[in-house]
Amino acid sequence: MSTEALARLAEERVDHRFKGLPPDADGLTVGELTAQRRNLFTGGFATPVLALSAERLEHNLRLMETYADRHGLAFAPHGKTSMAPQLFQRQIDRGAWGITLAVPHQVRVARAFGVARVFLANELVDPAALRWIAAEQDRDPEFRLVCYVDSVRGVELMDAALRGAGRPVDVVVELAAGEGARTGVRTEEECAAVADAVAAVPTLRLTGVAGYEGEVPGADPERVHAWLRRLVALAVNFDKAGRFDGLDEIVVSAGGSAWFDAVADVFAEIPGLSRPVLKLLRSGAYVSHDDGHYRRLTPFNRVPEEGALEPAFRLWTQVVSRPSPEQAFVNAGKRDAAYDLDLPFAQVVRRDGAEHPATGVSVTALSDQHAWLRTLPEADLEVGDWVGLGLSHPCTSFDKWPLIPVAEADGTVVEYVRTFF
């Protein structure tokens, strides 16, 4: 990655664009504010403010690095989860093959910061984006992009947009997770037809197969393992048919954040093929983890001896109204908290520098700028208290906060993570 581009993030001026940051920091650069090592609770930060735990962030990065190494997997974590180049860098520094992304804009962000390898987990048929990618490949011989194809029509559109490109774009046939699942080719026969279409054009190069096991209907260990074995069998059959002749390696890729243990199990069974196999895992939500969706579904719940991810986000809010013994309101809502899968979770109450558990406090609804709290008789909550909320679904947490303080356990802010939507 580009150290110069990352360094420029520290030169950005702090101002009204970045919510939650201290008002008296306006005009400082991010680097200057970082050097002050302000305290999240006493350094002038204004609620609501989202923070990442420095210790938990480092723990999660280290855990998944060792997991991928232990299971012989290459790793291209899904960057749409964070869209934070500083976190891209930390993942690549820990051995990531590259970064997985979902749409062309995200690829542009990654390239602006020098990411050399991108797995685009989508079929790309937009001609303007394809022409830009072709130009990037021509400009930088080190840049490699791999993307899905899941239809003959898609191959035709890609070929039309890429005519005249200096080198072909690498593609993998996406196998759908089943009938009624999201994208991808539904049958092996249709996969062969798509592969034939790729072989017939000079602008694309078939490099493997891929898919997303998280979309398996009624997902459970048996169904997910069965689908992954279909994906491996597709790669084996393509190889026997000579579809990968001339490659240096064959890409076989899967792996969301809920079933990567199954991916590790089945990818360990991949037989010897005519070329080395890049077993590419794409799980991304692990970076911050969460207190809801992924905490329930993490494979480490099923295989505890592998370790445990830790939720790294906390949204600090303030009680602004206590209209009755059964109700309170804090000053964070849909504009601040992820809410597409689970409501936030009340965890701790902070008053006069001391914290106590948010016993008897629960979030029941979100308005645009308020969270509705239900308070039981045992709840100890007053107007002015700070309430720390755990969040679900990191994808929609990162995209609400363009500059996120990273705080150590005592509240010392040691870094600010810049996000791009």
Side-chain angles (χ1 to χ4, degrees):
M1 288 185 66
S2 169
T3 54
E4 290 183 5
L6 288 168
R8 284 196 293 272
L9 292 175
E11 298 169 3
E12 195 165 12
R13 296 285 173 183
V14 174
D15 58 24
H16 59 276
R17 293 171 296 163
F18 304 125
K19 58 185 180 179
L21 300 192
D24 66 355
D26 278 9
L28 296 176
T29 67
V30 173
E32 289 168 342
L33 181 57
T34 303
Q36 292 183 355
R37 294 178 63 86
R38 295 199 186 194
N39 188 280
L40 186 69
F41 307 111
T42 61
F45 290 84
T47 58
V49 59
L50 180 68
L52 279 164
S53 161
E55 295 86 358
R56 292 184 169 199
L57 183 63
E58 177 61 22
H59 167 84
N60 293 342
L61 289 165
R62 183 173 59 251
L63 181 64
M64 283 302 289
E65 176 191 20
T66 58
Y67 182 88
D69 286 346
R70 186 160 55 246
H71 291 281
L73 301 170
F75 193 30
H78 212 315
K80 78 176 179 66
T81 305
S82 62
M83 281 308 296
Q86 292 146 287
L87 298 182
F88 293 173
Q89 179 68 66
R90 291 177 70 171
Q91 291 167 311
I92 290 169
D93 287 346
R94 290 187 170 279
W97 172 91
I99 299 296
T100 297
L101 297 166
V103 294
H105 164 69
Q106 294 170 351
V107 181
R108 291 188 64 197
V109 172
R111 289 299 294 157
F113 290 88
V115 175
R117 296 193 190 112
V118 171
F119 188 100
L120 185 64
N122 238 335
E123 183 169 69
L124 179 56
V125 294
D126 181 271
L130 285 163
R131 287 192 293 268
W132 175 80
I133 285 169
E136 278 293 286
Q137 289 195 152
D138 291 347
R139 183 185 66 81
D140 182 0
E142 300 300 315
F143 173 46
R144 183 185 183 192
L145 180 133
V146 179
C147 77
Y148 283 171
V149 287
D150 82 344
S151 65
V152 172
R153 172 64 173 163
V155 171
E156 294 169 348
L157 291 171
M158 294 179 77
D159 176 56
L162 291 168
R163 292 290 173 88
R167 59 185 169 110
V169 170
D170 286 348
V171 295
V172 289
V173 172
E174 182 194 5
L175 176 67
E179 288 298 327
R182 200 165 60 188
T183 57
V185 187
R186 265 37 184 179
T187 69
E188 281 74 3
E189 292 75 18
E190 291 172 304
C191 286
V194 173
D196 287 341
V198 171
V201 300
T203 55
L204 302 175
R205 182 176 72 156
L206 182 66
T207 60
V209 299
Y212 173 46
E213 75 290 339
E215 285 291 318
V216 169
D220 61 23
E222 182 178 358
R223 290 186 177 95
V224 170
H225 279 77
W227 178 82
L228 285 163
R229 291 191 174 102
R230 277 187 65 200
L231 182 69
V232 169
L234 181 64
V236 170
N237 291 334
F238 274 13
D239 189 46
K240 288 178 180 177
R243 296 188 185 277
F244 301 134
D245 290 352
L247 297 180
D248 294 328
E249 64 183 7
I250 299 166
V251 177
V252 181
S253 180
S257 295
W259 294 100
F260 54 77
D261 57 331
V263 174
D265 288 346
V266 176
F267 280 14
E269 303 169 358
I270 295 177
L273 301 183
S274 66
R275 306 287 187 277
V277 177
L278 182 73
K279 303 173 183 179
L280 195 60
L281 181 69
R282 306 194 308 271
S283 311
Y286 80 97
V287 175
S288 62
H289 200 40
D290 71 357
D291 281 288
H293 181 71
Y294 288 115
R295 191 169 196 173
R296 292 192 298 270
L297 297 178
T298 176
F300 293 132
N301 289 340
R302 295 187 290 272
V303 195
E305 61 269 24
E306 295 274 16
L309 294 168
E310 297 177 353
F313 269 136
R314 182 163 283 173
L315 177 60
W316 287 100
T317 66
Q318 195 166 24
V319 179
V320 293
S321 180
R322 190 80 160 94
S324 75
E326 296 81 27
Q327 195 174 40
F329 292 86
V330 293
N331 61 345
K334 294 178 181 178
R335 294 175 183 265
D336 312 297
Y339 63 93
D340 56 322
L341 294 179
D342 296 294
L343 290 170
F345 307 89
Q347 295 177 327
V348 296
V349 176
R350 186 176 181 89
R351 181 188 305 151
D352 298 328
E355 291 183 11
H356 62 265
T359 305
V361 181
S362 60
V363 178
T364 60
L366 292 179
S367 299
D368 287 347
Q369 300 289 181
H370 292 93
W372 296 57
L373 304 185
R374 178 171 178 255
T375 53
L376 300 178
E378 62 268 28
D380 180 9
L381 198 64
E382 298 177 357
V383 169
D385 289 349
W386 282 35
V387 179
L389 303 178
L391 300 175
S392 176
H393 202 191
C395 298
T396 52
S397 297
F398 276 102
D399 68 9
K400 298 176 185 298
W401 294 85
L403 194 62
I404 304 172
V406 180
E408 294 179 337
D410 66 357
T412 302
V413 176
V414 295
E415 184 183 2
Y416 294 83
V417 170
R418 184 72 160 94
T419 65
F420 295 82
F421 312 143

